[in-house]
Amino acid sequence: MAHDKIVTLKEIAEAAGVSVMTVSRALRKQSNVSEETQTRIQHIATQLGYRPNPLVSALMSYRRSARPASSHSTLAYITNFPAREEWKKSPLFHDFFKGAKDGADRHGYQLEEFWLREPGMNAARLSQVLYFRNITGAIIAPLPVSHGHLRLEWDKIATVTLGYSLAQPQLHRAANHQFRSMRLALRHLRKLGYRRIGLVMPASFNNRVDHAWSGSFLTEHYRTAKEERVPLCLPEDDQWSPAIFSQWFDKYRPDAVISQQAEILTWLKDRNHRVPEEVGFVHLNCPDKTGALAGIYQNGPLIGRVAVDFLIGMVQRNEVGIPPLAHSLLVEGTWVDGATVRKMRGTPLITEGENYCDPRSL
């Protein structure tokens, strides 16, 4: 049986009158080869019947990622908080950056922060800076508001955003799988014997995750007995206060509270409610795994690394602009056992795989 002749890069280079390196770059659509030259070389390759060897492509990709580049390229990390360092107040956002930087270093790239509110800076100016510095990839850090918008010159750069705060344009994103993280928190609370579980946070924190917290909570909420259901407490940010929380808590008397706001522990203490003896507390964004707080560790460093891995693949494929169909890269959360919950008296041990919902609700 006859085999198709394998067309080499050298043959394409000879037909095009260019170097083998230029052919390699043109076929990978790298920006340092003009669009006209790329089109001409790709046309010649097609005429000759060239098909890339997947094993060679995989090997070259591995070599590029495993060996640091001799001349580091740069990826942008774009922030947009009112103050330059304000985003660093969030342990999760700090973890995003750390993971992104580690991922960039592993691939031989530098990660450089760009602040959109730098004096004299705006979206158009930043787009020019990135273009003239030949920065072809950017991570869009979480914005200070939910449902935010940015207007960079997207057609010149590959981008991945972190979280859901950037609503427009719709870019590829990396985030914690908050829907499953909430289910994970509820499952562990049920195993410990908690039944009247409440979700409390300012509305903006739920909005920032595209309502994944409340959506997941309500899905489980309606699988429980009616007498065990606790209404959501999601006040607007300007109404978030100890008084509003206390009114909700006194009315519904949950035996466990889920939130991202650690100040609730202080509010409970001020009203002489003991944690975890009287009420359990689960933090949806545990800053660490020390066990001081029980809850969900969102694995922020891994989210940052996943975002950079995906971005570098886009850069190498010259995938710039707003994608026709955005991808979401979801990283699972991890349950952290901590001092703010306890096993309730009389609760049987529930093993993995058993139904943790009240049978009356099924």
Side-chain angles (χ1 to χ4, degrees):
M1 179 181 293
H3 294 276
D4 292 338
K5 179 179 180 296
I6 297 176
V7 179
T8 66
L9 297 185
K10 182 178 180 182
E11 290 174 296
I12 300 172
E14 290 174 350
V18 297
S19 69
V20 172
M21 181 60 72
T22 299
V23 171
S24 175
R25 290 171 175 166
L27 294 179
R28 285 185 282 129
K29 299 181 180 180
Q30 291 191 344
S31 58
N32 53 0
V33 177
S34 70
E35 290 186 13
E36 180 182 354
T37 301
Q38 286 186 30
T39 300
R40 185 170 68 87
I41 291 174
Q42 289 163 13
H43 179 68
I44 292 172
T46 300
Q47 286 185 320
L48 293 175
Y50 171 76
R51 284 182 292 182
N53 185 320
L55 295 178
V56 173
S57 298
L59 175 61
M60 294 305 296
S61 177
Y62 168 77
R63 291 180 65 184
R64 283 192 295 270
S65 64
R67 184 177 58 197
S70 57
S71 176
H72 281 20
S73 298
T74 299
L75 301 174
Y77 191 87
I78 299 174
T79 65
N80 194 32
F81 273 74
R84 179 192 292 275
E85 305 292 325
E86 189 174 347
W87 63 271
K88 296 182 180 179
K89 295 178 182 178
S90 165
L92 181 61
F93 296 170
H94 194 274
D95 280 351
F96 286 164
F97 180 79
K98 182 179 183 301
K101 188 176 186 308
D102 289 346
D105 289 344
R106 183 164 54 88
H107 287 281
Y109 285 76
Q110 293 178 336
L111 187 68
E112 182 175 343
E113 182 189 350
F114 291 85
W115 182 39
L116 257 174
R117 304 196 192 194
E118 189 90 45
M121 184 67 75
N122 55 39
R125 173 62 179 155
L126 178 58
S127 296
Q128 291 178 343
V129 169
L130 299 179
Y131 178 76
F132 285 112
R133 287 190 53 186
N134 198 31
I135 296 176
T136 55
I139 297 290
I140 310 298
L143 303 180
V145 296
S146 56
H147 307 301
H149 294 228
L150 285 181
R151 294 188 178 182
L152 295 175
E153 295 181 15
W154 305 108
D155 60 332
K156 296 180 180 178
I157 195 165
T159 47
V160 176
T161 188
L162 297 172
Y164 291 91
S165 58
L166 178 63
Q168 293 295 334
Q170 293 188 20
L171 305 176
H172 300 311
R173 73 182 70 250
N176 174 250
H177 199 331
Q178 282 100 0
F179 194 95
R180 285 175 58 85
S181 288
M182 176 61 74
R183 293 187 66 187
L184 181 64
L186 288 168
R187 185 172 75 224
H188 278 275
L189 284 173
R190 295 283 180 184
K191 285 181 181 179
L192 290 169
Y194 293 99
R195 288 295 176 264
R196 292 185 52 77
I197 303 168
L199 175 63
V200 190
M201 65 178 64
S204 66
F205 282 76
N206 188 47
N207 296 341
R208 286 185 68 88
V209 300
D210 201 25
H211 307 279
W213 292 137
S214 61
S216 179
F217 183 87
L218 289 174
T219 298
E220 300 300 312
H221 183 79
Y222 290 109
R223 295 177 60 201
T224 60
K226 288 185 178 180
E227 62 269 19
E228 295 178 355
R229 298 175 188 173
V230 178
L232 299 174
C233 182
L234 303 175
E236 295 301 322
D237 290 19
D238 59 359
Q239 297 179 352
W240 177 253
S241 66
I244 291 294
F245 169 76
S246 295
Q247 289 174 17
W248 170 84
F249 187 88
D250 292 343
K251 182 175 182 178
Y252 298 108
R253 289 292 176 178
D255 56 19
V257 173
I258 300 176
S259 183
Q260 281 191 241
Q261 281 58 47
E263 63 259 35
I264 287 177
L265 290 168
T266 300
W267 297 351
L268 288 168
K269 182 179 179 181
D270 289 345
R271 293 179 60 82
N272 298 316
H273 296 299
R274 295 177 299 155
V275 177
E277 290 81 6
E278 296 178 23
V279 57
F281 177 79
V282 165
H283 200 302
L284 287 172
N285 185 18
C286 269
D288 53 49
K289 299 180 181 180
T290 62
L293 296 170
I296 300 296
Y297 181 64
Q298 294 193 29
N299 290 304
L302 181 56
I303 294 171
R305 288 197 297 274
V306 165
V308 164
D309 287 345
F310 192 84
L311 176 64
I312 290 174
M314 293 175 65
V315 169
Q316 292 174 347
R317 297 186 298 270
N318 196 33
E319 294 178 4
V320 298
I322 300 171
L325 188 62
H327 299 179
S328 291
L329 310 169
L330 300 179
V331 174
E332 298 285 333
T334 304
W335 172 258
V336 179
D337 284 317
T340 54
V341 296
R342 68 184 179 93
K343 186 176 181 296
M344 305 289 278
R345 289 182 181 178
T347 301
L349 178 64
I350 302 176
T351 59
E352 282 299 327
E354 291 188 35
N355 193 330
Y356 59 88
C357 293
D358 190 313
R360 294 170 295 174
S361 66
L362 299 179

